[in-house]
Amino acid sequence: MDKPLTQAPDSTVGRRTHRRRITLLAGLLALVGLLCWSQWRALASTKDTYATALRQLDQMRIDKERIEKLRRTPRTATSRTRPNEELLAQIEQSLEAAGIDRAKWHDSVPQPAVRLPRSDYKRMTTRLYFEAITVKQLAAFAHHLQSSDPTLHVSAVNLTNRHTDRPDFDVDLAVSYLVYAPQEGRQTSHGLP
Amino acid sequence: MSRTTTVCLLTDECIHAVTCERRGRGWEAVARSQQELRLPDSLLVSHNPDELADAIAHAVNESHTSPSSITLVLPLQWCFTHVLARPKKRVTAEALAYEFEQYLPLPLENLTCAFVPSGNGNMVGVGIPTTPMAELIAALSKRNIYVEHITVDAITAAHALDSVNGSSSVMILDARWGRMVTGIKDPGRTVTAAFGLSECDNLAAAVAQQLQHRALSDGGIPPRWSVLCLADTMSESALEPVLNNGEERPCYFSPAEAVDTVALAAASVPQALDLRTGPLAGEGRWSQVTRLASQCMLCVLALLLVLTGGVHIHKQSLDQQFTTVNTAQREIYREVFRTDTLPPGAALRVASERIRLEGLTSVRGTVATQSTEPTLQPLATLRDIVAGLPTDVRVMLLDVRLDDKQLTIRGQTLKHRDAERIVETINNLPELVAHPPRTTRLRTGGVEFSVIATGVRSNGQTSHTGS
């Protein structure tokens, strides 16, 4: 026992305490730094989100005005392929309105859908066959058909005069409408970020 | 690189500051200064620590050094000592302190203790009052003087002189105080004693009495011992009766030599006894740096906390604004779609609805029909042709084929010229280009004709070339 014996340094003022305090402070600093960094990141994220939301709101306001205007505009295309029964019912109504006897409507043949080149539309065509109707009746029928549904239009007319002594024709009429069907992958202008 | 330390030696009437520089293996006193101050006989009597700290600071500054730390050498008078019997096994300072406590006039909690092994295996317990020393250390710290070691003059000198001249028994004499330590290194009887000299008329007689009383009762005067005289007023001749008392004359150190000897002893062997421990433990040489670092860290911590708080408040504010925007979006969505729920990507849905409606209305419909191919409106074209025919032309239509690209008419008329006029009428229409008619005279009279016309684009180019 050659060395002097001394008491252990008091824990309240000792170097160990000081070291502990420094370590604690460093730990706290790191913790608060981390907290500050995460808050900063969250703030940056919120800022981005807010700026995006603000831009979206502006665009939504513009879109809303445009939508309200477009909803008042007559449609030139449909959003879906209409059932054949519905189309035939509409044709019957127009025939009746044009004063054409139902018996003169000989046949109707739906055609395959055809996509218009470089567009978001498909053309749906149904060929109608009539016997012995006059041009006047045909015009009246077309007028009533388009009045009842603006999306429908006559895309082709074949008039054949079988009886030269009568003013009526056998008519082969193509009634078409456009279906709005955007192609997948085709670019559309949303106007959004 | 030389190392320098300042030793501050407290005597009864004076404070000595000695700057020691390490040279080779030893130390050398390079600067000295002193400040007169009458020190109290004990730390337990009331005294002003600031006054003492001022004097120490003055003495230290007078030594023309700027030490960052000093070794404080206390007089044995300020300490409580007791020689404890040889421990039977290895013990800690804390265990010895409990044994030491029974010889102390103060509770152990009020003391800072250290234990020095003596030559015969016993332990010399040394204790100083904690509170007054702590006050003194704090007062010195305020004056930018850091106390690195605290030691006791007689014990430190006994350790040092043993290696110098082989005398581990020393007596230190001041004007008012005397103290002695024997048997620290040699196997003789260990004695530590502090005694007063101020009341005695005959100094030599008083010292001799102490010698007889304390140390020499059972062993006589130690063979080699030293007398260190720190008081200028005390001459060697006055001590002659004492110095000549034993078989061997002791080493006598004059005041100047004594101060240097104790200072060098304290500089060289602070580890012999260091009371800067326990409750008086220092915060280390770098305590000021670490304290500064702590303060800096606290400042940064506070700054970071403020920054975090500010960022948090800003984020809350943005969140509120975002909620407002979200509400406005929901309102717009509700007006557009007549529903209260706001799905994710509401803006995209509204935009999609706008695009869908554009597609369903004439705007996009027009765009869609603006393809490179010409498109005819069959009934309107037929009406335009019929309306454009000259009134004097008689025609019987046999077959009319009209689609969005081509017109074919087969009919009968009276003359070839009438067929030509029909073609002219068709060519007058901007959207059609008719080829020359094919006519055949009928046996029954009249002419049968057939006309083919094709639609044209706005630049006049025909869409079909085979007709």
Side-chain angles (χ1 to χ4, degrees):
Chain A
M1 208 174 284
D2 294 334
K3 290 182 180 175
L5 291 176
T6 54
Q7 292 172 300
D10 195 315
S11 61
T12 54
V13 292
R15 295 175 194 181
R16 200 179 303 164
T17 306
H18 213 73
R19 206 176 304 133
R20 274 189 200 145
R21 192 183 303 155
I22 290 275
T23 310
L24 187 70
L25 268 175
L28 258 176
L29 204 60
L31 204 66
V32 174
L34 201 66
L35 184 71
C36 186
W37 179 76
S38 65
Q39 285 284 326
W40 188 265
R41 289 291 304 269
L43 176 68
S45 169
T46 307
K47 265 185 181 175
D48 286 349
T49 311
Y50 176 67
T52 306
L54 216 54
R55 281 200 300 273
Q56 284 180 343
L57 180 64
D58 288 344
Q59 187 60 43
M60 281 174 84
R61 282 181 177 142
I62 295 168
D63 285 347
K64 183 197 153 199
E65 283 179 18
R66 182 89 179 121
I67 285 168
E68 284 171 352
K69 194 176 170 186
L70 288 171
R71 279 180 176 165
R72 292 191 296 268
T73 309
R75 296 187 180 187
T76 54
T78 61
S79 56
R80 60 181 176 84
T81 305
R82 69 181 78 211
N84 202 35
E85 293 76 17
E86 185 186 319
L87 179 65
L88 296 181
Q90 219 155 13
I91 289 168
E92 278 186 355
Q93 282 177 7
S94 300
L95 283 174
E96 194 178 343
I100 300 172
D101 186 6
R102 171 72 179 78
K104 291 186 176 180
W105 181 17
H106 185 64
D107 201 359
S108 68
V109 181
Q111 304 294 306
V114 176
R115 177 168 289 280
L116 296 183
R118 293 179 295 283
S119 79
D120 291 331
Y121 296 89
K122 285 181 189 172
R123 171 173 283 167
M124 305 297 294
T125 305
T126 301
R127 296 203 83 97
L128 304 176
Y129 298 94
F130 300 96
E131 282 182 354
I133 61 170
T134 62
V135 173
K136 193 176 175 182
Q137 284 176 319
L138 175 64
F141 167 72
H143 172 73
H144 285 294
L145 190 66
Q146 207 149 12
S147 299
S148 64
D149 187 344
T151 61
L152 293 174
H153 63 276
V154 174
S155 59
V157 178
N158 291 342
L159 303 175
T160 306
N161 189 351
R162 295 191 190 281
H163 310 284
T164 53
D165 55 337
R166 285 171 20 199
D168 50 18
F169 293 88
D170 288 349
V171 178
D172 168 9
L173 197 68
V175 174
S176 304
Y177 63 92
L178 295 176
V179 177
Y180 180 60
Q183 284 176 286
E184 216 167 297
R186 186 180 155 84
Q187 281 191 337
T188 52
S189 61
H190 284 260
L192 286 172
Chain B
M1 185 176 141
S2 64
R3 187 187 153 204
T4 307
T5 185
T6 299
V7 176
C8 216
L9 176 63
L10 307 186
T11 64
D12 58 351
E13 301 286 349
C14 189
I15 294 163
H16 297 271
V18 181
T19 303
C20 304
E21 192 174 290
R22 191 177 184 94
R23 297 209 172 138
R25 287 185 141 189
W27 289 80
E28 190 174 322
V30 292
R32 300 167 190 84
S33 65
Q34 62 182 50
Q35 176 71 22
E36 291 192 359
L37 179 72
R38 185 179 173 86
L39 265 60
D41 289 340
S42 165
L43 275 177
L44 296 175
V45 300
S46 64
H47 72 285
N48 186 359
D50 285 323
E51 186 187 7
L52 181 54
D54 278 337
I56 291 172
H58 190 264
V60 168
N61 293 333
E62 281 285 302
S63 67
H64 301 293
T65 55
S66 52
S68 59
S69 60
I70 63 167
T71 298
L72 201 58
V73 183
L74 304 180
L76 192 65
Q77 260 72 14
W78 285 7
C79 306
F80 298 103
T81 59
H82 189 82
V83 179
L84 303 170
R86 175 199 293 264
K88 290 177 182 173
K89 54 183 179 181
R90 289 181 67 87
V91 290
T92 61
E94 282 72 18
L96 279 175
Y98 285 115
E99 190 182 343
F100 185 36
E101 187 181 17
Q102 58 187 313
Y103 305 106
L104 296 172
L106 294 177
L108 193 58
E109 294 78 29
N110 296 345
L111 290 178
T112 300
C113 302
F115 300 92
V116 185
S118 66
N120 52 17
N122 294 335
M123 298 295 286
V124 180
V126 183
I128 53 169
T130 301
T131 307
M133 273 313 294
E135 288 172 357
L136 177 61
I137 290 168
L140 285 171
S141 182
K142 281 181 189 169
R143 289 156 181 80
N144 291 326
I145 294 174
Y146 175 68
V147 179
E148 191 172 9
H149 302 290
I150 300 172
T151 188
V152 178
D153 51 9
I155 295 174
T156 305
H159 263 277
L161 288 176
D162 176 65
S163 56
V164 173
N165 57 14
S167 61
S168 66
S169 300
V170 296
M171 175 179 282
I172 299 176
L173 298 173
D174 286 331
R176 290 185 288 133
W177 301 335
R179 52 255 190 216
M180 59 182 293
V181 172
T182 65
I184 280 290
K185 285 288 186 180
D186 56 49
R189 184 185 174 216
T190 307
V191 170
T192 60
F195 45 88
L197 298 173
S198 56
E199 299 299 325
C200 57
D201 295 331
N202 188 339
L203 177 66
V207 172
Q209 185 188 355
Q210 289 295 331
L211 279 172
Q212 291 293 333
H213 177 65
R214 303 275 180 177
L216 311 177
S217 56
D218 52 49
I221 295 175
R224 286 184 298 278
W225 60 298
S226 304
V227 175
L228 287 82
C229 183
L230 295 172
D232 293 332
T233 54
M234 197 178 289
S235 65
E236 185 177 1
S237 57
L239 290 169
E240 278 301 328
V242 178
L243 299 177
N244 293 325
N245 201 7
E247 294 174 1
E248 191 176 338
R249 185 181 171 84
C251 295
Y252 176 78
F253 292 82
S254 65
E257 293 169 336
V259 168
D260 279 3
T261 301
V262 177
L264 291 173
S268 58
V269 283
Q271 64 271 32
L273 172 64
D274 193 357
L275 287 161
R276 193 83 158 106
T277 184
L280 290 178
E283 295 173 355
R285 183 187 290 270
W286 302 101
S287 63
Q288 289 190 352
V289 175
T290 51
R291 193 173 295 119
L292 197 66
S294 299
Q295 286 170 356
C296 285
M297 285 166 92
L298 274 173
C299 287
V300 173
L301 194 65
L303 193 71
L304 276 177
L305 280 172
V306 169
L307 194 65
T308 307
V311 167
H312 184 70
I313 290 169
H314 191 188
K315 185 175 172 297
Q316 292 289 325
S317 159
L318 271 181
D319 279 343
Q320 279 183 356
Q321 292 178 42
F322 179 72
T323 308
T324 310
V325 170
N326 222 16
T327 308
Q329 283 190 357
R330 180 179 287 113
E331 185 65 23
I332 289 174
Y333 192 82
R334 190 183 62 77
E335 287 174 10
V336 171
F337 291 106
R338 307 279 185 262
T339 176
D340 286 332
T341 53
L342 183 69
L348 275 175
R349 292 194 182 209
V350 172
S352 294
E353 177 66 6
R354 190 249 308 160
I355 290 167
R356 193 183 73 86
L357 285 174
E358 283 176 351
L360 295 178
T361 52
S362 56
V363 179
R364 290 183 75 86
T366 305
V367 172
T369 52
Q370 282 175 350
S371 63
T372 54
E373 299 295 329
T375 53
L376 298 174
Q377 298 295 321
L379 286 178
T381 306
L382 185 62
R383 181 199 62 204
D384 292 344
I385 292 169
V386 172
L389 282 175
T391 52
D392 57 338
V393 173
R394 291 192 63 195
V395 62
M396 183 171 70
L397 294 174
L398 298 176
D399 192 27
V400 178
R401 295 179 182 277
L402 188 61
D403 58 22
D404 57 350
K405 295 181 183 65
Q406 185 170 293
L407 165 70
T408 307
I409 300 176
R410 189 171 65 84
Q412 291 177 2
T413 185
L414 293 175
K415 297 176 285 189
H416 289 284
R417 174 62 190 151
D418 289 343
E420 295 286 345
R421 292 176 71 183
I422 291 168
V423 169
E424 285 170 8
T425 303
I426 293 171
N427 278 334
N428 284 338
L429 298 178
E431 68 269 24
L432 283 172
V433 174
H435 299 276
R438 180 180 167 189
T439 55
T440 309
R441 177 157 296 281
L442 299 170
R443 289 180 184 173
T444 54
V447 174
E448 183 170 319
F449 69 92
S450 94
V451 176
I452 296 176
T454 52
V456 292
R457 288 194 287 262
S458 55
N459 59 5
Q461 187 182 353
T462 56
S463 61
H464 290 265
T465 54
S467 58

